[in-house]
Structure formats: structure tokens, C-alpha cells
């Protein structure tokens, strides 16, 4: 029998390795930015076209590479940071430049230009699908410039799995946020399709957060500081009142490397117990510095997941540090411009002792020594004449000479009677056809038996078709707000709202002003309460960023689904009889009443025969 095991060619092995490291354009952005940081760059520029599908370029002013190093950097298993296996547990740098570049070069067109500071000329290398097209000497600034063009050009199946530009750009911006937040001592510039999206100067961590997420973020942050032998914690958490319905602004950095950890996330969430409503998530930007020997960062190809030696200790320290900071925030004095200055102690009285009041008491006075029904004569120690103690009761008798109280006229406060567990049959309306079960399901009678409807999903279907019609016909009505509503969003969130502005206006929103950080709304759809507008827009932005329906659907469909999901009545909400009947009638007037906008069942039926079988 012929041998069936064979070694893979290098270009195929490189493509397989690339599948682990390069999943989408944001993976290339992460690797190239981290390489620039390892090259000790102080200024890094990121240039993106078509969400990274056409071009990802990173330019740095770091120490560059020699012509030999530039050539070797595209070989597999080439690295400048490891000499033996023990070095894997002493890593202070980001990644292995050789492994990343070899994987990227296998699936894209790569052009590298690099020059060391002491050299007069640099090196230019062009590679297409792991094959070197050219290598020559060029004049270039010091540092390195890497351009990655036409990602997955030789693997069309992988390219077809990429999402729309909106979603891929969201992932690129996420990676840019993660790297730039971990290194506020480096200047970052981000260009998207020729326009400057971010320009981050060298700053401290707080200012870097504000530059990324908007000036309004500054007042939301609470500092966290803790220094122990095991762990050093620094950073910020968001105030509870600024929590969001989505997990957007949550960042952990271990030794200046972004990581994901559900275990540590639970530690922060537990510190907010009692401060947040269910379903709301706090923001945090936390740096953890630990001994590199106590962690293993090589359990995941992208190094976003790491393993700690003693997770329980880290959990306890992190939870107590965040809880301590929140406690300090609650008791810390604040500058309140609305307080009443008249209640403050004048400066002249700050050091003055308080005077103890003097009370004069006649210890010989006894009111029982006075005769009954006679007025007490004024004495020397009382300035005004007063009646004897019995005179306090004058006028309390009822009219006439009757002194006995008639208790038949006394009214007692009635006790509150709780309703019976079982409803009296007489109280049931004989004409009622719908009943609400556990404030979640609506039960209705039909000819063949009964119908059980999920009120939340049913209302989603009704609202979805209403919004879809309004967006298509472009004739929705809105209610004018007495005072315009001003909401604050980050730069990229504002860009999404600008894209959706026209469609949102068709649903009934009226935008009076739209700046780089604020949205002013003067009118909202009739069905939307003013207090829900901020939550609805946040959920809508999250849905668009993650593209809950895929790119095969239109933005109109996505907008209708997101608004319907946010505004539908929730499970647990009690409905009146008229509301129950209205919901049933509206559902069966829809074009597709059987499923919700997310293609989940809205109702089930049970025939009388099926019920009979239950009692056999």
C-alpha cells in the first residue's frame, strides 16, 4: 500500500499558520502595531482603506531593521526575542515579528521599507503570497513602513467570510483602542479612507481615554490604585450612573498587553453589586502588573488569553481594590455649585468655641400644689401668666355637660385586606377571551382549543412591521420635545449615527444638531418615551457595529429590527385585558405572525384533543 502521509509545502503551511493568526484585517493591525511598539517607536501612524481589505499600512519611527533582518523577518520561526525555551516565560515584548510577518505575507501583497538610524539608505522588499518579488536599496525615513494590500487575495473562500466594511472597521478600531490605551506614552494617528479619525498625542492614561472616547468621559472615571507584592493595579472604573447596556468600554491590560478574562471581569462586576441594575455593565480601564514568570501568555495564538498562577488571589485583590475606590468616590467631597452657601460656617467662626445655652429652672415649683379650677397667679420667675395644668383640658369636653365619650362615633382605620389566592368565580368576566400567564404569556381561546403567545416576541413582530413600513413609505409621525435632548457619544459612534440619520428621521426622530461628540434631538417617534432614547440609540449602535443580521440584509431592515427589540414590551410586564386583546389582534394582522424578527416562534396552539390526552 502506498504511503499517504507527506510533508506540506512551505506556502501551504504558511497559509495554515496564517489562519490561526490572521482572521480578519484587525488581526493584521494588531500584529503590525505591536511590532512598531517593540521597535521602540514614539510616533505610529495607521492607514486603513476599505476597512483593511484593500490596505493596512503602519508607519513608525522606530529603530528599523538591517537588510538581512528585513529579509529574515518573513521566514517562519524567525524571531529576535527568543533564544531558548526558558525565554518564553520571561517575555516583556509583544509578539514574534517573524511569525506574524510570515503569516501575513502568505495571504497578502506586502511591501516593507525600513532603515536604521545610523544607515544612509534603507531596504525595500515586495512579497506576494510568500514569494519575494523584489529586494532593493531605497531612500526612506528612519523606522519601518509595512503595507499589507489585498488581504486573502489567494484564498477567496476566506475573503468571502469577511463581514461588511462597517463591521470590519469596528474590529480595526477596537484593536487600535486596545493598543493605544496600553501605551499612552506613544503618539498614535489613525487615517481611515484618507481622513484622520484619531490623533492621539503623548499623554497620561486618563487623557488618552478622554481623547479616544470624548471629553464627556472625564467626569465618568473613578481612579483605582493598589500596590501589593503580588499585583500592582492602576487605572479607572466608570461611575455606576454611567453604566451601559452593552459591554463596550471594558479593558484589561496585563503588563501592557490587552487580555480577555471572564474570571477577572466577574471580579469587577461583583465589586459593583448593589450599584447596578440587572443587565447593565460598568466601564473599566485597568492595568495589572505581575511577574512575567507567574503568567503564561502562549495559550492562545493571538495572546489575548493568558493563564495566571494564582487566579484566586488576583480575583480578591482586584475586587477589593475596585470596591475601595467606589467607596472613596461615594464619600469624597465634591465641588457642588448648587449647594446653599448660607448653610456654610463663616470663616470667622471656624475656630470659635460654641456657647452652651443657660437654662433657669425653679426647682421648688410643683403644679399639683395649686387648687383645682383656679388660675395660678403670676410668679416672679415666669414672665407671662399661664393656666394651671387642669386648664389644659378646658374645651375638650363635648358640647353640653356630657362627660362620657360616645364610642359609637369613633372611626377606626380599616385594615388592608389582601386578595384571595383563588379568584372568585363571580368576579370573572364571562366575556373575557384572553388571560395573562405569569406576566409573560397570553392565553387565548380559539375554535380548536387554545393559543399561547409570547408577549415580548409578538410585540417585536408588530413593531418591526410598523417600523419597516414607516422606513419604506417615509411617513412616520413624531412628537416634539419641549426641551431638546442632548446625548454624548464617542467619535466612531457619532459616525454610525450620521450614517443612520436619514433612516432614523423616517421613523420619527428629529435631529436639531450633530457634532463630533454630541447629538441633539428635538423630536422622537410617538411610540418612544423620552427616557428610553439614549438606551435605544446605544443598542442600535451596538447592533450596527456587530451587524446582528448579516450584510445580506439592508440597513433599513437592521434599523427596524433593532428599534423593535428595544421598544417591545418585556416579559414580566402586566397587561390589561384590552391590551392583551389588542396584542393578539395586531399580531394576526401582521404579514408573518408565526415568528419574531429574529425568526423565533411567537405563539403555539393546543387543540382540545391534545388536552384530552393529558387527562387519560
Amino acid at each position: 500500500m502506498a504511503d499517504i502521509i507527506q510533508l506540506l509545502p512551505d506556502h501551504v503551511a504558511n497559509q495554515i499558520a496564517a489562519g490561526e493568526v490572521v482572521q480578519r484585517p484587525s488581526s493584521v493591525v494588531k500584529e503590525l502595531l505591536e511590532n512598531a511598539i517593540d521597535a521602540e517607536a514614539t510616533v505610529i501612524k495607521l492607514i486603513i482603506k476599505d476597512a483593511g481589505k484593500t490596505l493596512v499600512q503602519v508607519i513608525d519611527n522606530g529603530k528599523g531593521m538591517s537588510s538581512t533582518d528585513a529579509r529574515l523577518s518573513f521566514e517562519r520561526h524567525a524571531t529576535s526575542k527568543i533564544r531558548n525555551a526558558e525565554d518564553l516565560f520571561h517575555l516583556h515584548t509583544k509578539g514574534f515579528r517573524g511569525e506574524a510577518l510570515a503569516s501575513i505575507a502568505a495571504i497578502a501583497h506586502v511591501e516593507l521599507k525600513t532603515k536604521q538610524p545610523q544607515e544612509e539608505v534603507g531596504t525595500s522588499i515586495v512579497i506576494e503570497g510568500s514569494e519575494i518579488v523584489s529586494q532593493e536599496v531605497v531612500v526612506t525615513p528612519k523606522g519601518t513602513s509595512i503595507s499589507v494590500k489585498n488581504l486573502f487575495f489567494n484564498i477567496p473562500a476566506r475573503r468571502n467570510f469577511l463581514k461588511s466594511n462597517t463591521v470590519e472597521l469596528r474590529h480595526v478600531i477596537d484593536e487600535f483602542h486596545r493598543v493605544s490605551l496600553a501605551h499612552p506614552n506613544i503618539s498614535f494617528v489613525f487615517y481611515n479612507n484618507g481622513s484622520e479619525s484619531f490623533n492621539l498625542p503623548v499623554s497620561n492614561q486618563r487623557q488618552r481615554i478622554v481623547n479616544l472616547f470624548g471629553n464627556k468621559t472625564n467626569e465618568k472615571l473613578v481612579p483605582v490604585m493598589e500596590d501589593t507584592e503580588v499585583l500592582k493595579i492602576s487605572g479607572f472604573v466608570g461611575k455606576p450612573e454611567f453604566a451601559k447596556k452593552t459591554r463596550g468600554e471594558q479593558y484589561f491590560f496585563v503588563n501592557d498587553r490587552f487580555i480577555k478574562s471572564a474570571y477577572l471581569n466577574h471580579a469587577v462586576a461583583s465589586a459593583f453589586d448593589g450599584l447596578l441594575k440587572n443587565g447593565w455593565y460598568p466601564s473599566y480601564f485597568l492595568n495589572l502588573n505581575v511577574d512575567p514568570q507567574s503568567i503564561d501568555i502562549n495559550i492562545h495564538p493571538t495572546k489575548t488569553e493568558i493563564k495566571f498562577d494564582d487566579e484566586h488571589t488576583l480575583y480578591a485583590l482586584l475586587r477589593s481594590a475596585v470596591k475601595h475606590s467606589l467607596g472613596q468616590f461615594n464619600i469624597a467631597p465634591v465641588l457642588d455649585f448648587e449647594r446653599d452657601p448660607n448653610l456654610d460656617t463663616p470663616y470667622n467662626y471656624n475656630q470659635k468655641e460654641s456657647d452652651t445655652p443657660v437654662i433657669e429652672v425653679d426647682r421648688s415649683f410643683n403644679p399639683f400644689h395649686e387648687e383645682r379650677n383656679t388660675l395660678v397667679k403670676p410668679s416672679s420667675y415666669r414672665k407671662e401668666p399661664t393656666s394651671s395644668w387642669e386648664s389644659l383640658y378646658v374645651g375638650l369636653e363635648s358640647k353640653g355637660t356630657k362627660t362620657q365619650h360616645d364610642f359609637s362615633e369613633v372611626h377606626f382605620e380599616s385594615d388592608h385586606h389582601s386578595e384571595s389566592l383563588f379568584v372568585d368565580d363571580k368576579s370573572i368576566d364571562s366575556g373575557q377571551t384572553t388571560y395573562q400567564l405569569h406576566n409573560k404569556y397570553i392565553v387565548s381561546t380559539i375554535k380548536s382549543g387554545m393559543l399561547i403567545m409570547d408577549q415580548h416576541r409578538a410585540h417585536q413582530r408588530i413593531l418591526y412591521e410598523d417600523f419597516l413600513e414607516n422606513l419604506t413609505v417615509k411617513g412616520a409621525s413624531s412628537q416634539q420635545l419641549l426641551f431638546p435632548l442632548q446625548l454624548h457619544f464617542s467619535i466612531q459612534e457619532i459616525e454610525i449615527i450620521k450614517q443612520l440619520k436619514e433612516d432614523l428621521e423616517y421613523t420619527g426622530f428629529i435631529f436639531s444638531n450633530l457634532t463630533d461628540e454630541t447629538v441633539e434631538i428635538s423630536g422622537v417617534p410617538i411610540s418612544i418615551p423620552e427616557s428610553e432614547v439614549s438606551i435605544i440609540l446605544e443598542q442600535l449602535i451596538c447592533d450596527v457595529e456587530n451587524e446582528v443580521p448579516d450584510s445580506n440584509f439592508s440597513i433599513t431592515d437592521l434599523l427596524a429590527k433593532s428599534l423593535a427589540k428595544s421598544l417591545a414590551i418585556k416579559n414580566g410586564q402586566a397587561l390589561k385585558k384590552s391590551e392583551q386583546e389588542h396584542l393578539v389582534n395586531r399580531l394576526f394582522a401582521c404579514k408573518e405572525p408565526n415568528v419574531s424578527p429574529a425568526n423565533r416562534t411567537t405563539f403555539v396552539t393546543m387543540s382540545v384533543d391534545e388536552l384530552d390526552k393529558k387527562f387519560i
Side-chain angles (χ1 to χ4, degrees):
M1 185 175 178
D3 296 332
I4 59 175
I5 298 177
Q6 58 183 353
L7 292 175
L8 287 173
D10 285 343
H11 70 279
V12 177
N14 284 341
Q15 289 181 4
I16 294 173
E20 296 180 354
V21 179
V22 184
Q23 300 172 357
R24 55 193 346 145
S26 61
S27 305
V28 177
V29 171
K30 174 183 182 295
E31 296 292 344
L32 297 186
L33 287 178
E34 289 183 346
N35 285 342
I37 292 169
D38 284 344
E40 301 175 4
T42 58
V43 178
I44 300 175
K45 295 180 181 179
L46 172 63
I47 301 171
I48 297 293
K49 286 187 180 178
D50 297 331
K53 298 175 184 177
T54 303
L55 172 67
V56 174
Q57 184 177 8
V58 172
I59 305 171
D60 67 66
N61 64 345
K63 55 188 179 183
M65 292 182 284
S66 66
S67 59
T68 304
D69 287 344
R71 177 65 184 84
L72 284 175
S73 66
F74 290 99
E75 296 295 332
R76 291 190 66 198
H77 311 304
T79 176
S80 61
K81 301 160 187 174
I82 294 178
R83 293 292 179 266
N84 50 55
E86 284 73 20
D87 291 342
L88 289 170
F89 300 97
H90 298 82
L91 290 177
H92 295 273
T93 52
K94 297 298 179 186
F96 310 169
R97 173 168 266 176
E99 281 296 304
L101 292 185
S103 300
I104 294 169
I107 53 174
H109 297 161
V110 179
E111 182 179 355
L112 168 69
K113 291 182 180 180
T114 183
K115 184 177 83 73
Q116 293 178 318
Q118 69 274 14
E119 300 292 336
E120 294 183 359
V121 291
T123 304
S124 173
I125 299 178
V126 177
I127 298 179
E128 297 180 359
S130 294
E131 295 182 3
I132 297 179
V133 176
S134 67
Q135 178 174 353
E136 55 189 13
V137 176
V138 294
V139 176
T140 183
K142 78 158 189 169
T144 304
S145 170
I146 303 182
S147 301
V148 179
K149 304 175 183 177
N150 306 321
L151 196 64
F152 300 124
F153 80 100
N154 53 354
I155 313 179
R158 288 289 300 274
R159 190 176 181 89
N160 291 337
F161 275 99
L162 294 178
K163 302 291 185 181
S164 67
N165 285 357
T166 304
V167 176
E168 295 302 336
L169 181 60
R170 170 72 257 173
H171 287 286
V172 169
I173 292 175
D174 281 344
E175 290 296 345
F176 180 78
H177 282 174
R178 294 166 182 175
V179 175
S180 59
L181 281 171
H183 300 277
N185 58 325
I186 299 176
S187 174
F188 290 88
V189 185
F190 181 16
Y191 296 95
N192 176 35
N193 292 333
S195 61
E196 184 180 278
S197 297
F198 295 96
N199 192 337
L200 309 175
V202 175
S203 60
N204 56 31
Q205 189 185 14
R206 188 181 195 118
Q207 191 60 45
R208 176 59 54 90
I209 295 171
V210 171
N211 289 338
L212 282 172
F213 298 100
N215 293 327
K216 193 71 176 177
T217 314
N218 191 34
E219 65 184 60
K220 304 177 184 179
L221 302 177
V222 179
V224 178
M225 289 292 294
E226 191 68 41
D227 194 352
T228 66
E229 294 180 358
V230 181
L231 170 70
K232 182 178 180 181
I233 304 172
S234 63
F236 300 89
V237 295
K239 296 178 183 177
E241 60 263 34
F242 295 105
K244 292 187 175 184
K245 295 279 284 183
T246 56
R247 297 178 182 267
E249 299 170 1
Q250 296 185 339
Y251 296 90
F252 274 123
F253 303 97
V254 174
N255 295 351
D256 294 334
R257 184 194 300 274
F258 172 80
I259 65 152
K260 297 177 182 178
S261 174
Y263 189 70
L264 296 182
N265 178 74
H266 188 272
V268 176
S270 64
F272 279 84
D273 281 348
L275 298 176
L276 297 180
K277 293 184 290 185
N278 190 28
W280 291 76
Y281 304 101
S283 302
Y284 55 79
F285 310 85
L286 296 173
N287 302 301
L288 312 179
N289 287 327
V290 298
D291 183 359
Q293 296 185 23
S294 67
I295 58 175
D296 184 1
I297 62 174
N298 295 304
I299 63 171
H300 193 274
T302 60
K303 301 177 179 61
T304 55
E305 298 176 11
I306 65 176
K307 193 172 183 179
F308 297 95
D309 277 353
D310 190 359
E311 286 187 330
H312 298 291
T313 302
L314 296 184
Y315 183 99
L317 289 173
L318 183 60
R319 181 179 181 274
S320 61
V322 174
K323 210 171 185 64
H324 177 67
S325 294
L326 291 173
Q328 282 187 321
F329 158 69
N330 286 331
I331 63 174
V334 294
L335 187 61
D336 185 3
F337 293 101
E338 296 182 356
R339 63 178 173 74
D340 187 357
N342 294 324
L343 300 178
D344 293 346
T345 303
Y347 289 111
N348 295 338
Y349 287 83
N350 278 345
Q351 307 298 328
K352 193 173 182 180
E353 295 183 0
S354 59
D355 295 332
T356 304
V358 179
I359 302 175
E360 297 181 0
V361 180
D362 184 0
R363 300 183 182 279
S364 63
F365 174 69
N366 188 342
F368 296 99
H369 289 170
E370 304 293 339
E371 296 182 359
R372 294 175 62 84
N373 298 327
T374 60
L375 293 174
V376 180
K377 295 179 181 180
S379 59
S380 59
Y381 57 83
R382 286 194 298 270
K383 295 181 180 180
E384 296 182 6
T386 58
S387 301
S388 64
W389 67 274
E390 290 183 347
S391 66
L392 298 174
Y393 296 92
V394 174
L396 293 183
E397 294 93 350
S398 57
K399 293 182 180 179
T401 58
K402 181 173 68 172
T403 58
Q404 297 294 327
H405 293 286
D406 186 1
F407 288 99
S408 62
E409 298 179 0
V410 177
H411 298 280
F412 293 96
E413 199 174 307
S414 61
D415 294 333
H416 175 72
H417 296 284
S418 59
E419 296 182 359
S420 173
L421 181 62
F422 300 98
V423 182
D424 187 5
D425 290 343
K426 295 179 182 179
S427 65
I428 298 178
D429 184 359
S430 59
Q432 185 169 346
T433 59
T434 61
Y435 303 92
Q436 193 175 21
L437 182 64
H438 297 300
N439 291 343
K440 183 176 182 181
Y441 300 105
I442 295 175
V443 183
S444 179
T445 57
I446 55 178
K447 290 182 180 180
S448 60
M450 70 174 181
L451 173 143
I452 305 173
M453 184 178 76
D454 186 305
Q455 64 185 36
H456 178 63
R457 295 181 187 178
H459 199 211
Q460 276 194 54
R461 164 54 60 179
I462 295 166
L463 292 176
Y464 167 68
E465 295 198 3
D466 285 348
F467 281 123
L468 206 57
E469 182 181 356
N470 291 338
L471 288 166
T472 306
V473 178
K474 303 178 181 179
S477 55
S478 62
Q479 55 181 344
Q480 196 75 16
L481 299 177
L482 185 60
F483 300 102
L485 195 63
Q486 197 170 67
L487 305 175
H488 297 269
F489 294 97
S490 62
I491 297 172
Q492 62 270 22
E493 289 173 341
I494 292 290
E495 288 299 320
I496 293 175
I497 292 177
K498 287 179 180 178
Q499 296 173 17
L500 302 175
K501 180 175 178 289
E502 187 177 355
D503 288 324
L504 283 170
E505 288 174 340
Y506 293 144
T507 65
F509 282 95
I510 299 175
F511 295 90
S512 54
N513 193 17
L514 200 60
T515 66
D516 290 339
E517 292 186 6
T518 60
V519 176
E520 191 174 272
I521 299 174
S522 57
V524 296
I526 294 176
S527 57
I528 297 181
E530 183 179 346
S531 59
E532 296 287 322
V533 172
S534 176
I535 299 173
I536 290 169
L537 288 180
E538 283 181 8
Q539 183 64 54
L540 176 60
I541 291 169
C542 180
D543 288 344
V544 171
E545 287 175 343
N546 298 308
E547 205 170 39
V548 177
D550 211 334
S551 55
N552 299 328
F553 293 83
S554 65
I555 192 65
T556 301
D557 183 80
L558 170 59
L559 182 58
K561 286 182 178 178
S562 182
L563 290 173
K565 180 173 63 176
S566 300
L567 292 172
I569 56 174
K570 304 296 186 288
N571 290 329
Q573 183 176 340
L575 300 177
K576 298 177 183 177
K577 173 190 170 184
S578 58
E579 293 172 335
Q580 298 169 23
E581 293 178 349
H582 179 71
L583 204 60
V584 174
N585 295 334
R586 285 290 307 277
L587 176 65
F588 288 100
C590 293
K591 295 178 181 178
E592 295 183 20
N594 297 325
V595 292
S596 70
N599 291 323
R600 304 182 72 179
T601 305
T602 56
F603 68 89
V604 294
T605 58
M606 186 173 287
S607 65
V608 176
D609 292 339
E610 290 176 309
L611 285 172
D612 289 341
K613 291 177 182 178
K614 301 289 183 183
F615 294 95
I616 294 177

